Amino acid sequence: MSTEKSKMTPIVKLLDDSSNNLYVKREDFIPYSFGGNKARKAYYFFEEIDNGGYDYVMTYGSSHSNHCRVIANMAAARGIPCLIIGPTEVSETTYNSILMEVFGAKIITVPVEEVHDTIEKELQRLRSEGYNPYFIQGGGHGNLGTRAYVDCYDEIIRFEQQENLHFDYIFFASGTGTTHAGLVCGQLLAGDDRNIVGISIGRKNPRGRDVVLDSIRDYLSEEKRDFSEEEIQEKTVFLDDYISDGYGKSDEAVTEIIKKQMILNGMPLDSTYTGKAFYGMKEYIKAKGLQNKNILFIHTGGTPLFFDDLNMIGGK
Ligand SMILES: *Cc1c(COP(=O)(O)O)cnc(C)c1O
């Protein structure tokens, strides 16, 4: 697995109508289950599962969840049963949920307020039946997920060295905040300077940013690395200006950008994560009047969601 983990994803330049040099790191090209940030994180969780003698995987997420699809895929590949707890509120059929079924995952949906207790209850049940279950937080949240994006940050630095280039800005979709935390930790550990801007796809400030900050502090304390609170605060930029009506909700402007990027750059985006973040990035660049900057967008994956959205951009 370690060789898989260290694979670099491509960084390519996009056609763009601003004076900036806009690049994208295609995490959707991670060579497993349509890739994406959930695949990058999942390698780390399954390394622990493989080495720890676990025989059951359990996680949490909605029927739209890229994370649950990847976890169900990796579990099925090993012949390990997989149990997914999902909120009834977001349980309609999607390409991701169909794939979870194809992988043979068992899915239990409960009202969102019962999720926590259901997870506890199911873990106890599995242990009482003699299993050694491994629980992965929704979205692959936690220090292992953070580590995956510290490593991604190192890949970005290596690319810059090879190409003799410096990115002034990095933008991406920030959800559970693990991707965001990993990038900021990567920057703190590398001691370099640039703007890392997380575009929230659902959570508002201050909570959304607080979750990112907690993940950063958790990771750094596990690594026994000490940074001042001031430094951590300064590096953590979490914009909640582009969330529309919340998680999974988007505006016409996002749909337009999804269509435009597919046509112009052959790049699929989706309305829940990458399309929203790309839209937020473009608006931010305009609002701040950024010019002649090197800008990196991290495409965090979610390709099946692009197909769920296809009718929104004029597909049948
Ligand atoms: C989960 C997800 C995100 C958000 O990542 P977090 O680490 O949870 O913040 C962004 N983009 C896509 C496509 C995702 O599936």
Side-chain angles (χ1 to χ4, degrees):
M1 280 299 174
S2 57
T3 53
E4 296 289 341
K5 282 197 313 193
S6 61
K7 270 203 183 105
M8 277 184 95
T9 53
I11 295 180
V12 295
K13 196 162 181 223
L14 294 177
L15 289 175
D16 184 53
D17 52 12
S18 79
S19 74
N20 299 294
N21 298 309
L22 182 56
Y23 293 80
V24 61
K25 184 165 175 63
R26 296 288 300 262
E27 292 283 277
D28 54 328
F29 282 178
I30 288 173
Y32 197 88
S33 198
F34 306 100
N37 63 347
K38 302 314 180 312
R40 185 183 280 271
K41 295 180 198 181
Y43 285 127
Y44 293 70
F45 289 108
F46 274 89
E47 189 171 279
E48 207 162 83
I49 290 167
D50 290 342
N51 294 333
Y54 295 97
D55 54 11
Y56 216 110
V57 180
M58 193 171 135
T59 193
Y60 164 74
S62 77
S63 63
H64 296 246
S65 172
N66 295 310
H67 164 72
C68 291
R69 179 237 318 151
V70 172
I71 297 303
N73 201 160
M74 283 198 183
R78 289 162 172 76
I80 299 176
C82 176
L83 174 60
I84 294 167
I85 313 294
T88 322
E89 291 85 349
V90 191
S91 58
E92 68 275 20
T93 301
T94 68
Y95 285 114
N96 275 333
S97 73
I98 294 169
L99 283 165
M100 292 173 216
E101 280 171 30
V102 168
F103 301 138
K106 183 176 172 201
I107 299 163
I108 297 179
T109 57
V110 294
V112 72
E113 67 272 14
E114 289 172 28
V115 162
H116 181 265
D117 288 351
T118 307
I119 289 170
E120 289 305 314
K121 204 181 75 198
E122 289 298 318
L123 276 173
Q124 265 175 30
R125 178 183 63 80
L126 290 172
R127 288 194 186 106
S128 75
E129 287 173 15
Y131 288 108
N132 184 18
Y134 186 90
F135 179 69
I136 306 175
Q137 288 189 57
H141 195 63
N143 283 346
L144 282 179
T146 302
R147 165 157 308 134
Y149 273 83
V150 171
D151 290 354
C152 177
Y153 192 83
D154 290 343
E155 286 187 15
I156 294 168
I157 293 176
R158 262 187 284 150
F159 177 86
E160 289 181 315
Q161 288 164 348
Q162 278 163 20
E163 301 294 318
N164 201 15
L165 182 101
H166 177 78
F167 293 117
D168 304 299
Y169 286 83
I170 298 178
F171 292 92
F172 53 92
S174 192
T176 69
T178 321
T179 300
H180 195 165
L183 295 170
V184 172
C185 289
Q187 176 173 51
L188 289 167
L189 295 167
D192 63 20
D193 199 26
R194 74 178 95 238
N195 300 287
I196 296 179
V197 183
I199 310 278
S200 176
I201 51 83
R203 289 178 182 165
K204 289 201 159 105
N205 277 317
R207 181 183 168 239
R209 183 166 176 271
D210 284 343
V211 175
V212 178
L213 290 169
D214 283 344
S215 297
I216 294 170
R217 293 186 198 110
D218 271 2
Y219 182 79
L220 293 174
S221 94
E222 190 182 82
E223 292 293 299
K224 301 194 172 36
R225 295 293 302 262
D226 212 16
F227 291 90
S228 74
E229 184 59 23
E230 199 186 342
E231 215 174 341
I232 293 172
Q233 293 277 351
E234 186 206 313
K235 298 288 186 204
T236 308
V237 179
F238 181 86
L239 300 184
D240 65 0
D241 304 302
Y242 312 105
I243 57 179
S244 188
D245 289 332
Y247 179 79
K249 307 281 195 317
S250 69
D251 302 332
E252 189 76 20
V254 172
T255 312
E256 260 168 48
I257 243 174
I258 292 172
K259 184 168 181 180
K260 182 173 173 189
Q261 286 306 316
M262 191 64 215
I263 293 171
L264 191 64
N265 284 305
M267 180 169 73
L269 299 172
D270 73 86
S271 63
T272 303
Y273 298 104
T274 54
K276 234 176 182 178
F278 200 90
Y279 167 75
M281 171 183 73
K282 295 289 284 181
E283 290 295 303
Y284 182 88
I285 289 171
K286 257 190 271 172
K288 295 275 171 186
L290 301 185
Q291 289 185 341
N292 306 314
K293 302 285 186 214
N294 291 325
I295 296 174
L296 180 67
F297 179 76
I298 302 184
H299 189 310
T300 42
T303 301
L305 301 175
F306 169 80
F307 290 99
D308 288 328
D309 288 344
L310 204 47
N311 61 343
M312 297 198 321
I313 63 166
K316 290 282 186 291

